[in-house]
């Protein structure tokens, strides 16, 4: 139980402090994580977010803020948090900075930009014309006079004496200067000799230079000291290369893996390896095992039957009331309330209307449901049965079948008068007012309609609903006469 309380608190962003209330089992959290505040206005303590712009707080309102987020500060005369100027890290009031972001220093409650390449600076005396740099950007160095000077091109670390570290790619350091590596060399040592070349080139160790792999081994794209270590996937006409004994060998056409230029061990997809170790296309549809020759099939996929001459796989479409057995023959279905079945494993493939399949049997759908399926061990309805003439309209909510409210023709929720999409024949839309709230529901105009309003020759609605139960407003009688007239016009128009 104690672990459950702890989990309850932690799931709401709380720390490890919690206790159990004396009344009931509901835990009362008494401490929150740093970015949340405890709210004890309810029966138990829960954690809520701090106000916008607040990082640490002891309540959900701006006045509860203990420390603002970077870039926020209090607004003068209020406890509201506002955004600081972009150069400020924190501000004490409207546009008055208390600390600055990198590359700026604080002067008269404003953040002023540091000199070029400088990330941190300050004035030693208020009367100084310019600040002095304390730290510099990467790729620059601090001078004795308090300025930051950039390193030269391709130097990543330097000092007043010159370059200390060159760009490790394509350059090396010599006499405090970055020097370019040999042509097509990616990495080279302090002596300028190449140790790694760009793709498609290989190192010649004795000389420390790079040579193009494909110049001495066709199809080769990785090499070292004149030996091929990797091949291109394929050439320009779709022939695959395989690395064999330090050479890139062209496999036979249609071959993916081979041992030499004539012997294939694995063909491309849709091709079949022949006895002579070549690849040929195999075009018998639904054949899962080739016969002795490429134009013959030994076995077909499920629901297909091999022709007598072994050259085709024919689809088996059993008639209604029959299913396919283990021998590939159509036999009568043995499962009750099933239209189509696989008699090989006694499985219903298409249950009858109003039923769903469960293994080797069928079960009835819930009342009012014509199509359903087993979901999470329960029958889930996804098509309601057609209602009889005297029944209310059926609807499905979350897989459950129910009826619309008696006033609805169609609806979106079960037994809810406020969810009508259309009204039941004989009913009209009524506008129900209660103060400022206005609702539209379907009503019987002969009983409930107080003030009829005509919107077109073919439709009408009630402007208000107010007669007491068991009474009929004078307008309702006129409404009934009008409805009869409208029904006559509507039938004549059809």
């Amino acid at each position: 139980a104690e672990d459950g309380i702890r989990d309850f608190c932690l799931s709401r962003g709380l720390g490890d402090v919690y206790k159990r209330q004396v009344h009931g089992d509901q835990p009362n959290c008494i401490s929150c994580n740093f970015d949340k505040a405890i709210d004890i206005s309810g029966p138990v303590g829960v954690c809520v977010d701090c106000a916008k712009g607040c990082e640490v707080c002891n309540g959900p309102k701006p006045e509860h803020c203990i420390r603002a987020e970077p870039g926020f500060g209090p607004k003068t005369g209020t406890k509201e948090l506002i955004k600081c100027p972009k150069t400020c890290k924190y501000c004490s009031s409207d546009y008055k900075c208390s600390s600055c972001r990198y590359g700026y220093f604080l002067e008269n409650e404003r953040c002023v930009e540091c000199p070029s390449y400088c990330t941190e600076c300050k004035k030693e005396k208020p009367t100084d014309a310019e600040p002095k740099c304390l730290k510099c950007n990467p790729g620059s160095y601090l001078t004795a006079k308090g300025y930051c000077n950039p390193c030269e091109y391709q130097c990543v670390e330097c000092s007043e004496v010159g370059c200390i570290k060159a760009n490790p790619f394509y350059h090396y350091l010599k006499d405090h200067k970055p020097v370019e590596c040999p042509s097509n060399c990616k990495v080279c040592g302090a002596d300028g000799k190449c140790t790694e070349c760009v793709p498609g080139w290989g190192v010649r160790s004795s000389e420390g230079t790079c040579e193009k792999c494909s110049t001495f081994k066709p199809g080769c794209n990785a090499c070292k000291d004149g030996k091929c270590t990797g091949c291109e996937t394929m050439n320009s006409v779709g022939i695959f290369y395989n690395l064999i004994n330090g050479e890139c060998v062209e496999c036979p056409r249609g071959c993916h893996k081979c041992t030499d230029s004539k012997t294939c061990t694995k063909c491309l997809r849709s091709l079949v390896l022949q006895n002579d170790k070549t690849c040929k296309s195999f075009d018998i549809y639904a054949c899962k095992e080739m016969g002795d020759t490429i134009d013959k099939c030994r076995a077909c996929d499920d629901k297909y039957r091999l022709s007598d001459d072994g050259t085709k796989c024919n689809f088996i479409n059993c008639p209604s009331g029959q299913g396919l057995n283990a021998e590939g023959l159509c036999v009568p279905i043995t499962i009750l309330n099933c239209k189509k079945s696989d008699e090989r494993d006694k499985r219903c493939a298409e249950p009858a209307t109003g039923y769903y399949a469960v293994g080797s049997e069928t079960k009835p759908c819930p009342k009012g449901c014509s199509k359903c399926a087993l979901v999470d061990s329960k029958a889930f309805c996804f098509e309601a049965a057609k209602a009889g003439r005297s029944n209310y309209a059926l609807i499905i909510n979350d897989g459950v079948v129910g009826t619309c409210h008696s006033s609805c023709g169609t609806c979106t929720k079960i037994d809810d008068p406020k969810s009508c999409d259309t009204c039941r024949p004989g009913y009209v839309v009524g506008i129900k007012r209660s103060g400022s709230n206005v609702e539209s529901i379907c009503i019987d105009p002969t009983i409930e309609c107080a003030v009829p309003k005509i919107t077109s020759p073919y439709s009408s609605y009630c402007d208000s609903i107010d007669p007491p139960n068991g009474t009929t407003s004078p307008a309702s009688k006129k409404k009934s006469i009008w409805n009869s007239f409208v029904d006559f016009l509507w039938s004549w128009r059809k």
Side-chain angles (χ1 to χ4, degrees):
E2 196 74 7
D3 289 340
I5 299 174
R6 184 175 184 273
D7 292 341
F8 175 90
C9 291
L10 292 176
S11 69
R12 284 155 178 79
L14 311 180
D16 287 336
V17 184
Y18 54 89
K19 69 179 182 180
R20 182 184 290 278
Q21 290 284 63
V22 176
H23 61 283
D25 295 331
Q26 188 77 326
N28 177 43
C29 302
I30 59 174
S31 180
C32 303
N33 284 344
F34 75 93
D35 60 341
K36 294 184 182 292
I38 194 161
D39 184 0
I40 57 174
S41 60
V44 294
V46 296
C47 285
V48 296
D49 292 331
C50 295
K52 183 179 179 181
C54 185
E55 189 172 57
V56 180
C57 60
N58 56 14
K61 297 181 179 179
E63 57 263 31
H64 297 146
C65 189
I66 298 173
R67 185 175 73 230
E69 293 179 2
F72 283 85
K75 184 178 181 181
T76 303
T78 70
K79 295 183 178 180
E80 181 184 351
L81 294 170
I82 60 170
K83 279 191 174 183
C84 302
K86 292 182 179 180
T87 56
C88 293
K89 185 176 182 182
Y90 295 103
C91 53
S92 56
S93 60
D94 295 13
Y95 307 109
K96 292 182 179 180
C97 299
S98 54
S99 64
C100 300
R101 297 186 182 276
Y102 283 114
Y104 293 84
F105 71 99
L106 189 65
E107 184 178 47
N108 298 326
E109 296 182 318
R110 292 174 58 249
C111 289
V112 182
E113 190 173 8
C114 293
S116 298
Y117 308 106
C118 189
T119 59
E120 188 176 335
C121 64
K122 73 173 184 178
K123 285 185 176 181
E124 293 183 347
K125 297 178 183 179
T127 56
D128 289 347
E130 291 185 350
K132 286 190 175 182
C133 288
L134 303 177
K135 290 183 180 179
C136 299
N137 280 327
S140 60
Y141 68 95
L142 185 64
T143 67
K145 293 182 179 182
Y147 292 99
C148 292
N149 286 342
C151 300
E152 63 179 301
Y153 181 65
Q154 297 299 346
C155 181
V156 295
E157 190 176 336
C158 59
S159 68
E160 291 185 339
V161 299
C163 189
I164 299 172
K165 185 179 180 181
N167 182 349
F169 298 109
Y170 310 105
H171 293 82
Y172 68 101
L173 189 65
K174 183 178 181 181
D175 298 330
H176 294 293
K177 286 187 175 293
V179 180
E180 194 170 353
C181 293
S183 179
N184 298 302
C185 179
K186 185 178 181 180
V187 180
C188 55
D191 56 358
K193 289 189 175 183
C194 192
T195 57
E196 183 183 346
C197 300
V198 297
W201 295 70
V203 174
R204 179 69 71 175
S205 301
S206 59
E207 301 173 7
T209 57
C210 296
E211 58 184 349
K212 195 170 184 179
C213 300
S214 60
T215 56
F216 59 91
K217 298 288 183 183
C220 182
N221 66 355
C223 57
K224 186 176 180 180
D225 294 329
K227 292 183 179 179
C228 190
T229 58
C231 300
E232 297 177 9
T233 304
M234 65 176 73
N235 63 14
S236 59
V237 294
I239 301 297
F240 277 76
Y241 287 108
N242 276 194
L243 182 64
I244 302 172
N245 298 326
E247 293 187 5
C248 292
V249 177
E250 290 186 352
C251 294
R253 183 172 292 276
C255 181
H256 186 223
K257 298 289 182 182
C258 60
T259 55
D260 55 46
S261 60
K262 296 181 179 180
T263 307
C264 185
T265 57
K266 185 179 180 180
C267 296
L268 297 176
R269 195 181 233 178
S270 78
L271 299 179
V272 179
L273 185 64
Q274 304 298 297
N275 294 332
D276 60 358
K277 302 302 179 184
T278 59
C279 298
K280 292 184 179 179
S281 61
F282 180 57
D283 297 327
I284 300 180
Y285 182 76
C287 180
K288 64 180 180 180
E289 184 180 346
M290 192 184 74
D292 296 333
T293 59
I294 199 168
D295 59 345
K296 296 284 186 180
C297 180
R298 183 175 287 115
C300 297
D301 292 338
D302 289 348
K303 296 187 179 180
Y304 287 84
R305 183 185 299 151
L306 186 64
S307 62
D308 294 338
D309 59 2
T311 59
K312 291 182 180 179
C313 287
N314 298 315
F315 178 70
I316 304 171
N317 187 15
C318 292
S320 178
Q322 292 189 359
L324 194 65
N325 68 4
E327 288 75 33
L329 302 175
C330 293
V331 296
I333 294 175
T334 58
I335 303 173
L336 294 176
N337 302 307
C338 182
K339 291 182 178 179
K340 292 183 179 180
S341 73
D342 192 334
E343 291 295 310
R344 292 170 294 182
D345 53 8
K346 299 296 181 183
R347 178 177 54 84
C348 184
E350 184 182 338
T353 302
Y355 290 84
Y356 65 99
V358 183
S360 60
E361 61 180 354
T362 58
K363 292 185 178 182
C365 294
K367 185 178 179 180
C369 181
S370 63
K371 288 186 180 180
C372 63
L374 195 64
V375 178
D376 295 332
S377 303
K378 293 181 180 179
F380 187 95
C381 186
F382 52 90
E383 184 176 310
K386 292 183 179 180
R389 183 174 297 178
S390 61
N391 293 339
Y392 301 140
L394 297 177
I395 186 175
I396 301 172
N397 281 164
D398 295 329
V400 178
V401 181
T403 59
C404 296
H405 187 263
S406 59
S407 62
C408 299
T410 57
C411 62
T412 56
K413 292 183 181 179
I414 295 173
D415 197 25
D416 183 1
K418 298 178 182 179
S419 71
C420 297
D421 286 333
T422 60
C423 293
R424 187 181 179 188
Y427 280 65
V428 297
V429 177
I431 299 176
K432 184 177 182 181
R433 292 182 173 86
S434 177
S436 60
N437 294 327
V438 179
E439 294 178 346
S440 295
I441 59 174
C442 294
I443 63 168
D444 184 345
T446 63
I447 298 175
E448 301 172 276
C449 191
V451 182
K453 181 176 286 188
I454 309 305
T455 58
S456 76
Y458 306 108
S459 63
S460 59
Y461 68 91
C462 287
D463 189 56
S464 64
I465 306 169
D466 60 5
N469 292 334
T471 64
T472 304
S473 67
S476 67
K477 295 180 179 180
K478 295 180 181 179
K479 190 70 175 178
S480 299
I481 296 170
W482 173 255
N483 280 346
S484 299
F485 179 64
V486 168
D487 290 342
F488 169 76
L489 288 176
W490 179 250
S491 61
W492 176 80
R493 182 171 180 265
K494 288 182 177 180

